[in-house]
Amino acid sequence: MTEAMPTQGSKHIMVFPYPAQGHLLPLLDLTHQLCLHGFTISIIVTPKNLPYLSSLLTAHPTAVTAVTLPFPHHPSIPSGVENVKDLGGSGNLLMMASLRKLREPIQNWLSSHPNPPVALISDFFFGWTKDLGIPRFAFFSSGAFLALIVDFVFDKLHLYESTEPICFSDLPHSPVFKKEHLPALVPQSPVSEDLESVKDSAMNFSSYGCIFNSCECLEKEYMECVKQNVNHNRIFSIGPVSSIGLGRGNLDSNIDAMALLSWLDGCPDGSVLYVCFGSQKVLTKEQCDALALGLEKSMTKFVWVARKDPIPDGFEDRVAGRGMIVRGWAPQMDVLSHVAVGGFLSHCGWNSVLEAIASGTMILAWPMEADQFVDAKLLVEHKGVAVRVCEGGTTVPDPNELSRVIAETMAECGQEIRARAKEMAGKARAATEAGGSSTEDLERLVKELSSL
């Protein structure tokens, strides 16, 4: 491993991202912003995640150093696997348990460094890092609403003794969730064998500070709630972080992005539904059959990022000219920002939510797992910028109902939702401009780090 030596007058910050694309990339984008403000950064990483840092290291060769530590062995993680994308969402608890073993190597690195960092910014899955002896800022790649849900449940584990839905009466709007719709980080019983792993994520509000990849127009009331809980003002809402492309160079594409955008150019404004369920989810044959039939019967133009999804035989021929199947990665932000795209059928992962918000695209929500049920409730019930079309990771939608909802929402029935989504986009854009709330919070964060 190489040592990060701060340049004269710069503050040295340690960054510890969680090895999952939705967590890692936003934190790398924040790291880029900190480099632009003159900080020297050491990033804790394991060998097989080092390629994600290549663009950042190239952009800031003197400011950023990778601190490469061996990936700790875990009996349930196959040899050579160091990223959640190779385990699936259900592998988070295993990954968290394994990476907790890096405590001693990190402590040894800190104690031996001639110019140790003055602060640590680590993913919210690493709550244990608040005890490393330096001020720790928890970085939330997700929103404040989710953070409050997790914190609330860990204070009231007795709620799991009941089979009834859980009402979070202390939170704005008193949201109600079925237990199975709570994030995977929340144990399904107070004696869960995974309790030790997920306890890490309940230690974030006791950190020195919290940073959220969110914005005031989306979660202002929840940000205020977080500030009340922690009883200090070191809460920073700095999103949506810029999708500058750092760390994305290793994502392969087997499609011609220009061909996709060119196809969109030939479609009427707002006529195309973009369908994508993230980088990890693979639909079952039954789900694909139902989705394909729903799209076909809706008579709506669409782009479906299928990746490994089993597309029904003959489907592409039947929708030729009206639909485009993408069997790899697509330039999602470019697609969502295209004037032809009027809706986004999404699993409501947080990064997808932020891209939809930034582009002003209405969401048709099909939450499946993790934080997605929380995100969907925020968008559908609290903000009115989305409509729920299905829910559940194993649910097979009724194709007739799905086609009806798609057709109606993409037509006149969705006008008010689309208008609210466009209005939200304007507010999100303003937040990241000079004088905007997210820009001001980033400046507050820079000032706080500089004072340490």
Side-chain angles (χ1 to χ4, degrees), residues 239-443:
V241 291
S242 174
S243 297
I244 55 174
L246 293 182
R248 292 159 172 76
N250 62 331
L251 299 177
D252 294 327
S253 171
N254 60 2
I255 66 155
D256 183 346
M258 295 304 295
L260 170 57
L261 296 174
S262 177
W263 183 82
L264 289 172
D265 288 341
C267 299
D269 290 0
S271 66
V272 178
L273 176 66
Y274 177 66
V275 182
C276 182
F277 300 108
S279 59
Q280 294 186 17
K281 180 64 178 178
V282 177
L283 299 182
T284 65
K285 180 183 182 303
E286 292 75 18
Q287 288 174 322
C288 277
D289 289 347
L291 176 56
L293 186 54
L295 289 169
E296 185 177 352
K297 295 181 71 172
S298 73
M299 298 305 294
T300 300
K301 290 181 177 291
F302 66 88
V303 172
W304 181 357
V305 181
R307 295 195 174 97
K308 299 179 181 179
D309 296 332
I311 303 297
D313 292 340
F315 174 67
E316 292 183 71
D317 292 335
R318 294 195 300 274
V319 297
R322 184 165 63 81
M324 190 170 191
I325 307 296
V326 176
R327 298 189 180 277
W329 173 82
Q332 182 159 290
M333 193 61 196
D334 290 336
V335 173
L336 290 175
S337 300
H338 198 286
V339 294
V341 176
F344 180 14
L345 178 51
S346 168
H347 62 329
C348 289
W350 189 248
N351 285 345
S352 292
V353 166
L354 291 181
E355 289 185 321
I357 293 296
S359 63
T361 308
M362 167 186 66
I363 290 180
L364 284 73
W366 182 353
M368 297 182 181
E369 59 188 11
D371 60 333
Q372 297 160 14
F373 295 98
V374 177
D375 299 344
K377 185 175 286 288
L378 173 67
L379 298 172
V380 175
E381 300 178 22
H382 300 174
K383 293 300 178 181
V385 295
V387 59
R388 188 180 281 104
V389 299
C390 190
E391 63 179 21
T394 60
T395 302
V396 178
D398 176 81
N400 293 319
E401 177 64 13
L402 183 61
S403 69
R404 182 191 65 80
V405 175
I406 290 174
E408 291 182 355
T409 307
M410 291 294 290
E412 290 186 9
C413 290
Q415 284 183 347
E416 290 187 10
I417 300 174
R418 286 195 295 273
R420 284 193 289 268
K422 294 294 184 186
E423 181 183 3
M424 180 76 74
K427 294 178 179 178
R429 192 177 307 112
T432 58
E433 293 174 350
S437 60
S438 293
T439 300
E440 289 184 347
D441 268 18
L442 177 60
E443 292 170 354

Side-chain angles (χ1 to χ4, degrees), residues 23 84 88-92 124-125 142 146 149-150 177-186 188 280-281 347-350 366-377 392-393:
H23 290 243
V84 174
S90 60
N92 278 322
F124 73 105
F125 276 13
S142 54
L146 175 69
I149 292 288
V150 172
F177 289 93
K178 298 176 183 178
K179 287 199 295 184
E180 61 268 27
H181 287 177
L182 290 172
L185 286 177
V186 176
Q188 293 303 302
Q280 294 186 17
K281 180 64 178 178
H347 62 329
C348 289
W350 189 248
W366 182 353
M368 297 182 181
E369 59 188 11
D371 60 333
Q372 297 160 14
F373 295 98
V374 177
D375 299 344
K377 185 175 286 288

